[in-house]
């Protein structure tokens, strides 16, 4: 058998099990940090296929017990990490397709286990819990889990098109609180300092700065609290906000602008402001052309049309991984027509025959990429050289 035939056979032998996992995760959607049934089901699949699994993994550092780490130590050699997502969205279930591409990653991992005679090295399969919130990859990356990895790879479900990478934006999230002084709104409003007005003027000032934001900058906010009764000057108001930029240096600069807007609003209303970071920052993706070109080539060989990478419009904790090792997250078409992520349409598409066929195709590409890293020293060196050059460039812009 050729290598491609061996890969196809391994994929087919695990496909039914993976399809059952897709449906199980769909039927049991669990939101970030609460993925008890989901993580246990994936761990069960990995253990049945011969993996040694630590579960839970890094529970103390993460603050939840739904991540895992499965390892195939297959002699000395390179190290590849396959990442598995499985959290659902509140009220929507698997509208981001994690049930599909999480099962895809598990299928790729079990196929590599069956192909262990074809390579030497270490395969690590990581349960990337809570991606929709304070993702496990953030903490794992910060803890150095990926520092000796030669390739970290996963795929993400997508509507209508396959692309070789998901470019991502840096993201920071704050709770902003304004503190003022309460007073009766009719009998003595001049004694009060209106925290709610300070919060509103803060947003007005940010809006006034939008015409000078760099391309790719996104700012979003919601008011959390602005007072209890209209006849009382509010002494407290709070907002939750998120902002995204194309680089970490841009994130730092936008942070300065936003804090100045808050300070200006506070000064104007005789209030004070307080910023509380809500989660670790999400980083933009360090892109590696050699990985993207090879993914494109492998998809083409399997008859899949590959579209250009879409300009970054969202954030992912995979970006943080990419600051520690070469990493890639292709977007995999599971519908013929375009549909957005985080929708009922994408959720339902994960159960369709097309999604099942695409799952097998995507898993095969992950297997092929892993085998290239394990077995092709020249390709591995090219990936490392391009990665280090890209990382140096982004670090210069910090």
């Amino acid at each position: 058998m050729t290598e491609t035939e061996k890969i196809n056979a391994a994929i087919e032998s695990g496909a039914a099990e993976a399809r059952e996992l897709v449906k199980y995760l769909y039927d049991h959607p669990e939101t970030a940090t609460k993925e008890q049934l989901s993580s246990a089901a994936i761990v069960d699949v990995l253990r049945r296929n011969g993996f040694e699994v630590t579960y839970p993994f890094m529970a103390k550092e993460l603050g939840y017990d739904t991540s895992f780490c499965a390892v195939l130590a297959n002699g000395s050699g390179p190290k590849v990490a396959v990442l598995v997502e499985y959290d659902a969205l509140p009220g929507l279930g698997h509208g981001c397709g994690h049930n599909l591409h999480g099962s895809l990653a598990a299928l790729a991992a079990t196929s590599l286990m069956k192909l262990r005679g074809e390579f030497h090295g270490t395969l690590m399969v990581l349960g990337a819990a809570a991606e929709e919130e304070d993702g496990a990859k953030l903490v794992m990356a910060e803890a150095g889990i990926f520092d000796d990895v030669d390739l970290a790879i996963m795929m993400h479900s997508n509507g209508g098109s396959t692309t070789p990478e998901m470019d991502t934006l840096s993201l920071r999230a704050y709770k902003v609180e304004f503190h003022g002084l309460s007073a009766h709104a009719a009998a003595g409003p001049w004694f009060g300092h209106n925290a709610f007005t300070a919060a509103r003027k803060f947003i007005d000032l940010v809006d006034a700065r939008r015409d000078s934001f760099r391309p790719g900058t996104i700012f979003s906010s919601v008011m959390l609290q602005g007072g209890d009764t209209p006849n009382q000057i509010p002494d407290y108001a709070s907002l939750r906000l998120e902002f995204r930029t194309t680089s970490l240096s841009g994130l730092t600069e936008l942070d300065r602008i936003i804090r100045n807007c808050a300070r200006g609003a506070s000064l104007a209303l005789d209030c004070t402001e307080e910023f509380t970071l809500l989660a670790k920052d999400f980083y933009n993706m360090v892109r590696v052309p050699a990985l993207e070109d090879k993914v494109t080539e492998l998809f083409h060989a399997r008859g899949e049309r590959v579209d250009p990478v879409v300009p970054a419009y969202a954030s992912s904790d995979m970006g943080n991984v990419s600051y520690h090792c070469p990493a890639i997250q292709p977007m995999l078409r599971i519908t013929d027509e375009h549909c957005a992520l985080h929708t009922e349409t994408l959720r339902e598409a994960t159960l369709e025959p097309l999604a099942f066929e695409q799952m097998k195709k995507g898993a095969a590409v992950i297997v092929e990429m892993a085998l290239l890293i394990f077995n092709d020293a020249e390709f591995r060196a090219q990936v490392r050289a391009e990665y280090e050059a890209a990382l140096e460039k982004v670090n210069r812009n910090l």
Side-chain angles (χ1 to χ4, degrees), residues 277-342:
L277 196 64
L278 293 177
K280 296 180 184 297
D281 291 345
F282 283 64
Y283 295 177
N284 57 292
M285 196 75 187
V286 180
R287 294 174 58 183
V288 182
L291 291 176
E292 295 181 23
D293 291 346
K294 183 59 68 173
V295 163
T296 300
E297 176 188 322
L298 294 173
F299 269 126
H300 282 161
R302 292 183 174 274
E304 181 72 8
R305 188 192 76 208
V306 179
D307 293 325
V309 176
V310 176
Y313 62 89
S315 303
S316 166
D317 51 5
M318 196 66 171
N320 298 60
V321 175
S322 77
Y323 272 72
H324 292 262
C325 72
I328 191 165
Q329 180 181 205
M331 301 292 285
L332 179 68
R333 172 182 66 93
I334 65 168
T335 64
D336 286 326
E337 302 298 325
H338 171 76
C339 73
L341 302 180
H342 291 206

Side-chain angles (χ1 to χ4, degrees), residues 153-287:
I153 187 168
M154 60 169 286
M155 287 197 186
H156 199 291
S157 306
N158 197 36
S161 66
T162 294
T163 64
E165 179 64 286
M166 178 184 179
D167 202 5
T168 64
L169 297 170
S170 296
L171 166 69
R172 185 167 294 166
Y174 282 121
K175 181 178 182 181
V176 184
E177 299 169 282
F178 289 88
H179 301 275
L181 182 65
S182 183
H184 195 284
W190 45 87
F191 293 117
H193 302 154
N194 197 317
F196 175 57
T197 303
R200 291 193 298 109
K201 292 305 171 186
F202 163 54
I203 297 301
D204 288 345
L205 288 171
V206 173
D207 286 342
R209 290 298 303 263
R210 287 184 189 273
D211 62 353
S212 61
F213 282 177
R214 292 182 182 273
T217 300
I218 300 171
F219 176 91
S220 308
S221 65
V222 292
M223 188 72 72
L224 299 176
Q225 189 170 343
D228 298 316
T229 179
N231 67 355
Q232 197 77 12
I233 299 295
D235 63 355
Y236 176 80
S238 63
L239 309 93
R240 175 171 177 151
L241 59 85
E242 296 180 348
F243 51 94
R244 307 171 198 251
T245 63
T246 58
S247 67
L248 285 179
S249 59
L251 202 68
T252 300
E253 173 62 11
L254 189 59
D255 190 288
R256 182 190 68 80
I257 291 170
I258 287 169
R259 286 178 179 271
N260 280 347
C261 291
R263 183 86 286 265
S266 289
L267 286 171
L269 276 299
D270 287 323
C271 294
T272 60
E273 79 284 352
E274 180 181 359
F275 281 72
T276 302
L277 196 64
L278 293 177
K280 296 180 184 297
D281 291 345
F282 283 64
Y283 295 177
N284 57 292
M285 196 75 187
V286 180
R287 294 174 58 183

Side-chain angles (χ1 to χ4, degrees), residues 365-398:
V365 169
I366 288 182
V367 170
E368 289 170 323
M369 289 294 290
L371 290 176
L372 279 167
I373 292 295
F374 283 129
N375 296 331
D376 190 332
E378 184 177 349
F379 177 67
R380 190 166 63 248
Q382 180 189 3
V383 168
R384 178 59 63 175
E386 291 188 9
Y387 169 71
E388 290 180 355
L391 185 62
E392 181 183 4
K393 183 178 179 179
V394 299
N395 282 334
R396 283 201 307 268
N397 292 328
L398 293 179

Side-chain angles (χ1 to χ4, degrees), residues 71-93:
V71 175
L72 167 59
N74 200 32
S76 61
K79 191 172 188 178
V80 172
V82 175
L83 304 176
V84 187
E85 294 180 343
Y86 39 90
D87 60 323
L89 294 162
L92 188 60

